[in-house]
Amino acid sequence: YWVFLVTFSLGSAAVILWSYQLTFRFPGRGDDSKRIALTGLVSFLLLGFTSWVFDMLLCNEHVIPVANSLPGPFRGMTPHVVWHIAAGLGGYCGAANLCLCRMEALGMDHSVSYLLGIVPVLKGTRGHGHTKKTS
């Protein structure tokens, strides 16, 4: 278990530092790229990681009794569920940010919209930097 914790933590730290460097230290990054990166970092680190640690430390003594007393469809829902949702959103934002950084580096025309105001949706359009393959 400790091997998993150490390797997962080091791998996550490396990806986060690399993503930060790519997004905030390179010139020419747009506001959308920075917004997506920050959304991913906040989701993964502040929401996901915090709820995971809380769940791991207090699960049996405090979390399970409260989770089992929740009403209806929320019954049994622990902070571990929040971890999965937040880590998933953080990972998706990380991948979307890398795609957006690549589009910007290639000079591709693109648009970014936000599902529910949070989840980024990228769309590349034909334009500068896009080459059409011919046979």
Side-chain angles (χ1 to χ4, degrees), residues 12 15-26 29-46 86-101 104 112 114 118-122:
S12 295
V15 169
I16 289 168
L17 291 172
W18 176 60
S19 180
Y20 174 83
Q21 183 82 5
L22 185 65
T23 304
F24 295 99
R25 299 280 176 135
F26 272 69
R29 294 292 177 246
D31 290 337
D32 281 317
S33 181
K34 294 173 184 173
R35 176 181 173 182
I36 293 169
L38 287 175
T39 299
L41 289 172
V42 166
S43 178
F44 184 81
L45 290 176
L46 295 182
L89 177 61
Y92 173 76
C93 286
N97 183 49
L98 292 177
C99 290
L100 184 56
C101 287
E104 290 173 347
V112 181
Y114 295 89
I118 298 171
V119 182
V121 179
L122 309 177

Side-chain angles (χ1 to χ4, degrees), residues 48 51-52 55 74-88:
S51 65
W52 180 63
D55 186 53
F74 300 106
R75 182 175 176 83
M77 190 175 290
T78 66
H80 195 82
V81 174
V82 176
W83 153 250
H84 280 281
I85 293 169

Side-chain angles (χ1 to χ4, degrees), residues 45-79:
L45 290 176
L46 295 182
L47 296 175
F49 184 74
T50 303
S51 65
W52 180 63
V53 169
F54 176 76
D55 186 53
M56 294 298 292
L57 295 175
L58 302 174
C59 187
N60 291 333
E61 299 85 24
H62 304 288
V63 173
I64 296 296
V66 171
N68 288 335
S69 69
L70 293 175
F74 300 106
R75 182 175 176 83
M77 190 175 290
T78 66

